[in-house]
Amino acid sequence: MPENVVILGGGIAGLTTAYALAKRGILARIIEARHHLGGLVASGHVGGIQLDLGAESFALRSSVICELCDELGLPYRTPAGQSWVWNDGIATPIAHGLWGIPSSWDDHAFQVLTDDELEIAHRDRALGPRVGSDSTTLAELVRVRLGQAVLEKMVEPVAGGVHTASPDDLDLDTVCPGLRDAIQREGSLISAVHSIRGNSAPVLAQPVGGMSQLVRALIERLKRFGTQIDTGLIVTDIAREGSEFEILVAESDGNRSNPKPVPGTEEILNADRVIMALSGSSALPLLNKFPEINFEWEAPQGAAITTASLILNNSLLDEAPRGSGLLVKPGSAMRAKALTHYSIKWPWAYETLSKIHGPSTHVVRVSYGRPDEPVQIPSPSDVLSDASRLLSIELSRTDLLDCRIIHWGPSLSPHSPEHRNHLESLKREIALIPGLDVTGAWIAGTGLGAVIPHAYEIGENLE
Ligand SMILES: Cc1cc2nc3c(=O)[nH]c(=O)nc-3n(C[C@H](O)[C@H](O)[C@H](O)COP(=O)(O)OP(=O)(O)OC[C@H]3O[C@@H](n4cnc5c(N)ncnc54)[C@H](O)[C@@H]3O)c2cc1C
């Protein structure tokens, strides 16, 4: 049984690994730079309720998160309301399927195509399994099987919006695991997506009360197990001396967005086993300190993201004019990239808010930041005006009860084919260092559906 295990990073990856270990009777020590845990699964008080500010849902592609929620006593729900793609004032339904690729030829999302574009897409049925089998990116596959129009009008708004990267930069096997094999089996892309997704099975879910309930429940359970959690400690250096790791840590200056070490507060921690569950920008410089590891590349940086959460009181919002929300087609005359009508998508939020502020109180989240666009930090008035246009209703300053704007910077690493190759050689080098494991979104894949199962598996299998 491993002893003296230290987990670097108390985001969802670090907490999940710690929990899987604790269940086996292995009590790790978590070191987290910030004074709060959960990393990008962040929450805060807005409009008098605890609201997700970062991640708000998980993909149902693996059963691990559902099982984790069940174990922790967290009920979860799939989203209410249809979601849309918005293109200069015209909204069309988002395909039910995978990253905007429909799982059926009857999907309403095809209505965005012209007759000629639809005819090109229909060729997928007759192309056979080999066409696109050598594609490395999501864009290549969609372009060659369904045509450029499907890529631009249906896939790019969804995949590009969620990954904050162009589909030309998204590694096919990382963002669509199993799809390549399914095409070989099914003979067409649409049938392959159908075999993975089914016709109408939901693809997302959220614990009732928000994604941050998972963080809260994990922390509570870890404390009950007796796992030591140290917040406000930044890891600044690491080395392996004999069979032990020496980890240099320093107190954090308390800065919420970019904590820095306070000089003169350094101390050395020793560990037999280290699990790095840091962001890529923190993990890579530390990994490069090991003589066995040698690389010169940097993790690719996604677009700088800004999110604005608005608490609004306006009865026109009760009609859910754009269902659970929309993704904006790149190239539209609109600076926002997405809008989530959170209180429609997740009804607990509406119920909780209406108890405090009365009926017709809603949460609307507007997101900004696309690759290769200058960083935009909108004002509350900008956000209100963007939300009004996207929802096609007039929202005014008097409707606005509260607003929280957060600039996340380039927080997500797009998983490009180049990054995937880099990771493959890095993983071989990491395997040369006994006692070291690495997890987190930059290595596991963006999104909780990839991050949590990866982190859990490390905790379950650590020897
Ligand atoms: C606005 C936004 C919305 C999102 N929405 C969704 C969504 O709806 N669904 C979804 O699946 N995904 C979503 N994501 C992505 C998802 O949140 C991340 O993939 C996931 O939370 C990453 O978890 P992690 O533990 O790997 O990394 P992080 O959350 O980045 O955790 C790393 C932790 O390490 C700590 N750390 C860093 N450096 C050091 C150091 N030197 N010493 C000590 N500690 C350190 C950090 O403070 C942090 O707590 C969203 C992301 C953002 C930014």
Side-chain angles (χ1 to χ4, degrees), residues 9 11-13 32-34 39-40 54-57 235 278 282 408 440-441 447-448:
I12 195 72
E32 165 56 48
R34 293 190 164 89
L40 299 177
E56 46 109 9
S57 59
V235 180
L278 303 165
S282 290
W408 300 89
L448 304 175

Side-chain angles (χ1 to χ4, degrees), residues 8-15 31-34 36-42 53-59 65 162 204 211 233-236 249 256 259 277-283 286 305-307 345 365 367 408-409 411-412 439-442 445-451:
L8 311 182
I12 195 72
L15 295 174
I31 307 293
E32 165 56 48
R34 293 190 164 89
H36 57 273
L37 297 157
L40 299 177
V41 186
L53 299 173
E56 46 109 9
S57 59
F58 61 91
I65 308 181
V162 173
L204 295 175
M211 208 54 241
L233 271 189
I234 303 190
V235 180
T236 58
V249 298
R256 277 183 77 85
L278 303 165
S279 49
S281 56
S282 290
L286 289 173
I305 309 168
T306 302
T307 53
K345 190 173 182 182
R365 180 152 105 172
S367 313
W408 300 89
S411 313
L412 307 178
T439 188
W442 67 277
T446 303
L448 304 175
V451 175

Side-chain angles (χ1 to χ4, degrees), residues 86-87 152 156-158 160 328-332 370:
W86 191 93
N87 182 6
E152 282 178 14
E156 199 169 351
V158 184
V328 177
K329 182 176 170 290
S332 304
R370 290 192 189 280

Side-chain angles (χ1 to χ4, degrees), residues 7 11 122 133-134 147 198 232 237 257 261 279 281 327 330 335 352 376 384 418 425 437 456:
I7 298 176
H122 276 160
S133 58
D134 56 350
D237 203 354
S257 58
S279 49
S281 56
L327 288 153
R335 63 198 141 189
T352 315
Q376 326 178 41
L384 258 185
E418 191 190 15
S425 57
D437 286 277
Y456 197 89

Side-chain angles (χ1 to χ4, degrees), residues 9-225:
I12 195 72
L15 295 174
T16 302
T17 304
Y19 173 70
L21 285 170
K23 283 205 313 177
R24 297 173 54 205
I26 303 164
L27 298 184
R29 177 175 182 186
I30 300 177
I31 307 293
E32 165 56 48
R34 293 190 164 89
H35 288 281
H36 57 273
L37 297 157
L40 299 177
V41 186
S43 65
H45 244 67
V46 195
I49 68 167
Q50 193 71 14
L51 202 60
D52 288 325
L53 299 173
E56 46 109 9
S57 59
F58 61 91
L60 286 165
R61 73 183 202 211
S62 133
S63 58
V64 172
I65 308 181
C66 298
E67 286 161 15
L68 189 58
C69 289
D70 290 341
E71 230 173 81
L72 295 169
L74 296 175
Y76 53 89
R77 301 279 180 272
T78 55
Q82 161 86 54
S83 48
W84 302 82
V85 172
W86 191 93
N87 182 6
D88 283 334
I90 298 168
T92 45
I94 286 187
H96 174 84
L98 195 58
W99 304 125
I101 310 170
S103 64
S104 147
W105 289 106
D106 298 330
D107 198 301
H108 293 305
F110 280 118
Q111 72 190 44
V112 74
L113 302 180
T114 64
D115 289 347
D116 289 349
E117 290 165 348
L118 187 60
E119 200 182 315
I120 292 173
H122 276 160
R123 288 183 200 158
D124 172 54
R125 296 193 273 210
L127 287 176
R130 292 178 66 95
V131 173
S133 58
D134 56 350
S135 301
T136 54
T137 64
L138 176 63
E140 256 178 272
L141 178 74
V142 174
R143 203 178 276 125
V144 75
R145 293 212 62 111
L146 297 169
Q148 183 69 17
V150 173
L151 176 64
E152 282 178 14
K153 294 182 175 179
M154 294 164 64
V155 175
E156 199 169 351
V158 184
V162 173
H163 288 276
T164 61
S166 157
D168 274 300
D169 292 329
L170 295 177
D171 180 69
L172 180 61
D173 297 317
T174 307
V175 296
C176 306
L179 185 61
R180 200 187 288 278
D181 289 345
I183 298 174
Q184 292 305 307
R185 218 172 41 238
E186 306 292 329
S188 92
L189 177 52
I190 300 295
S191 306
V193 171
H194 183 263
S195 75
I196 293 173
R197 282 281 192 251
N199 248 347
S200 57
V203 294
L204 295 175
Q206 184 202 66
V208 175
M211 208 54 241
S212 60
Q213 292 299 320
L214 182 57
V215 170
R216 182 197 52 74
L218 282 170
I219 296 169
E220 203 179 283
R221 205 55 81 89
L222 287 171
K223 285 189 175 158
R224 230 187 286 160
F225 277 123

Side-chain angles (χ1 to χ4, degrees), residues 287-456:
L287 286 170
N288 236 344
K289 309 243 175 183
F290 292 100
E292 295 87 343
I293 295 182
N294 201 347
F295 60 88
E296 284 178 4
W297 49 269
E298 288 177 8
Q301 293 219 321
I305 309 168
T306 302
T307 53
S309 302
L310 309 177
I311 308 294
L312 295 156
N313 191 286
N314 184 319
S315 58
L316 294 173
L317 288 165
D318 298 342
E319 307 294 322
R322 289 287 172 248
S324 59
L326 51 84
L327 288 153
V328 177
K329 182 176 170 290
S332 304
M334 164 55 64
R335 63 198 141 189
K337 71 163 186 171
L339 177 146
T340 306
H341 196 157
Y342 191 101
S343 45
I344 294 292
K345 190 173 182 182
W346 311 114
W348 68 264
Y350 182 82
E351 286 156 24
T352 315
L353 274 174
S354 57
K355 282 186 195 138
I356 302 173
H357 302 286
S360 303
T361 310
H362 286 261
V363 189
V364 169
R365 180 152 105 172
V366 188
S367 313
Y368 297 83
R370 290 192 189 280
D372 308 322
E373 272 184 9
V375 175
Q376 326 178 41
I377 304 201
S379 67
S381 305
D382 294 336
V383 182
L384 258 185
S385 120
D386 293 342
S388 294
R389 276 188 68 210
L390 292 169
L391 293 167
S392 296
I393 58 177
E394 199 53 50
L395 296 167
S396 71
R397 276 308 274 240
T398 52
D399 300 330
L400 188 62
L401 305 184
D402 201 359
C403 173
R404 182 86 173 262
I405 298 178
I406 297 189
H407 183 55
W408 300 89
S411 313
L412 307 178
S413 295
H415 282 253
S416 63
E418 191 190 15
H419 183 52
R420 181 186 149 104
N421 289 339
H422 286 151
L423 287 183
E424 288 309 317
S425 57
L426 178 62
K427 282 180 199 165
R428 285 192 291 275
E429 291 178 338
I430 292 170
L432 299 175
I433 305 170
L436 179 67
D437 286 277
V438 181
T439 188
W442 67 277
I443 196 156
T446 303
L448 304 175
V451 175
I452 294 178
H454 188 271
Y456 197 89

